[in-house]
Amino acid sequence: MHEALLGRDELLADALSAPAGVLVHGSAGIGKTAVLEALADRGRAEGHRVLRAGPARAEQDFPHVALMDLFGALLPEAAGRLAPALRQALESALLRGEREAYGPAADPLAVRVAVVELLRLLAGRGPVLVLIDDAQWLDAASRDVLAFAARRADPQVRVMVTERTGPGEEPSAHGLCPPPVTELALPGLSLEHTGALLRRRLGVRLPAPTVRRVHRASAGNALFALELGRALVRQSAPVHPGEPLPVPRRLRTLLADRLAGLPAHARGRCCGSPPRRGPASRCSRTTARP
């Protein structure tokens, strides 16, 4: 089992038993992608046709990029079974077919209907599992098409979506899932599972008090815990009680985002300094006190 799935058995069972749409949400690094990979593996093992898109922030302004990931490879196989107008609209949106057919004016409704029909064709051959990772980075055109298709999904089509959310933030990607939507908040790892993660990935056994501090500082976030653990291993010298934990540079932005969602008094304690006015992102320290 993937390390980030330690302690996720109950959540996976809930996702696998959901009737239609599943929305898994949580903070950056908490293990959402690993959960989606486990669901994809299970789907393939059970004979599902798995379609997957993983949008990125850098591609958010390009229309239909997620649709290219999901359906681009299927067009040679299934386009001939679509009505000509639908096939041409989808090929134009996905930049397939003749270059003369490209163009910015693909009929939005035709693209939406084409995706609905394409999913129905696939569902006629067996169950389909659509996976969308990091839905917060979906381009607007793909989001609109997928929401249209979700409202008209064949019962053989299941959709599972992950979305990054901050502390206390509600997810917003329900519309991408066919109803009824099962919403699953991904919690942090327990102390026991954080220790197991550090042992497996780092190949060392950190002292129990240090593991407890890493767990508190990371709040059970798998990515944060591993980066803090790696920094401790690189430092080699033990961290004495009362000394701050080293925070690698790659974690500073993520930690600043996390601190921004905390109350002022909590931000002050995290940074090891009294609370002060202004955004949490001003905290530039490179150490963390649990």
Side-chain angles (χ1 to χ4, degrees):
M1 178 178 288
H2 193 285
E3 290 85 352
L5 294 183
L6 289 165
R8 306 302 195 202
D9 292 346
E10 184 176 350
L11 183 137
L12 286 173
D14 290 343
L16 291 167
S17 63
V22 177
L23 174 56
V24 178
H25 65 94
S27 60
I30 201 72
K32 301 182 297 297
T33 297
V35 167
L36 208 66
E37 289 173 353
L39 294 171
D41 291 343
R42 181 66 65 88
R44 293 188 188 97
E46 294 179 353
H48 289 62
R49 182 71 175 263
V50 177
L51 311 177
R52 181 168 181 175
R57 175 186 283 180
E59 300 168 350
Q60 198 173 14
D61 294 332
F62 299 120
H64 300 126
V65 170
L67 298 186
M68 293 178 189
D69 293 342
L70 289 170
F71 306 115
L74 296 176
L75 282 182
E77 169 189 339
R81 302 177 63 189
L82 293 173
L86 300 183
R87 183 187 69 248
Q88 291 169 9
L90 191 56
E91 287 179 343
S92 177
L94 303 191
L95 304 182
R96 298 296 196 272
E98 298 296 330
R99 290 187 60 85
E100 291 78 7
Y102 299 175
D107 181 355
L109 179 58
V111 175
R112 287 162 170 74
V113 175
V115 168
V116 171
E117 291 301 313
L118 183 56
L119 287 171
R120 286 178 179 167
L121 289 172
L122 294 174
R125 301 179 181 180
V128 178
L129 183 58
V130 179
L131 305 176
I132 304 170
D133 196 16
D134 275 335
Q136 73 277 0
W137 304 135
L138 270 176
D139 63 274
S142 293
R143 179 181 287 271
D144 291 344
V145 172
L146 293 171
F148 181 92
R151 293 190 293 272
R152 295 159 178 82
D154 186 280
Q156 284 277 78
V157 176
R158 300 177 69 204
V159 180
M160 297 184 177
V161 177
T162 71
E163 181 181 2
R164 181 186 299 183
T165 52
E169 184 181 1
E170 294 292 326
S172 60
H174 299 82
L176 300 172
C177 301
V181 182
T182 300
E183 181 183 320
L184 301 172
L186 197 58
L189 298 174
S190 67
L191 173 60
E192 176 186 1
H193 289 127
T194 298
L197 174 70
L198 294 172
R199 289 193 300 273
R200 293 185 187 184
R201 292 292 296 272
L202 303 181
V204 298
R205 184 179 291 271
L206 296 173
T210 301
V211 173
R212 284 195 294 271
R213 294 186 62 189
V214 169
H215 178 254
R216 286 199 304 270
S218 66
N221 183 294
L223 173 63
F224 290 4
L226 283 171
E227 292 300 328
L228 290 170
R230 289 190 181 104
L232 286 165
V233 171
R234 286 195 298 269
Q235 181 173 285
S236 69
V239 177
H240 299 290
E243 290 184 350
L245 297 175
V247 177
R249 179 173 299 180
R250 71 180 72 182
L251 281 189
R252 293 180 190 175
T253 301
L254 290 175
L255 286 171
D257 290 343
R258 185 171 192 146
L259 290 172
L262 297 175
H265 70 277
R267 293 201 299 267
R269 289 183 61 191
C270 247
C271 294
S273 60
R276 63 180 180 180
R277 296 180 180 178
S281 58
R282 292 180 184 173
C283 177
S284 60
R285 293 174 182 260
T286 58
T287 58
R289 296 181 185 271

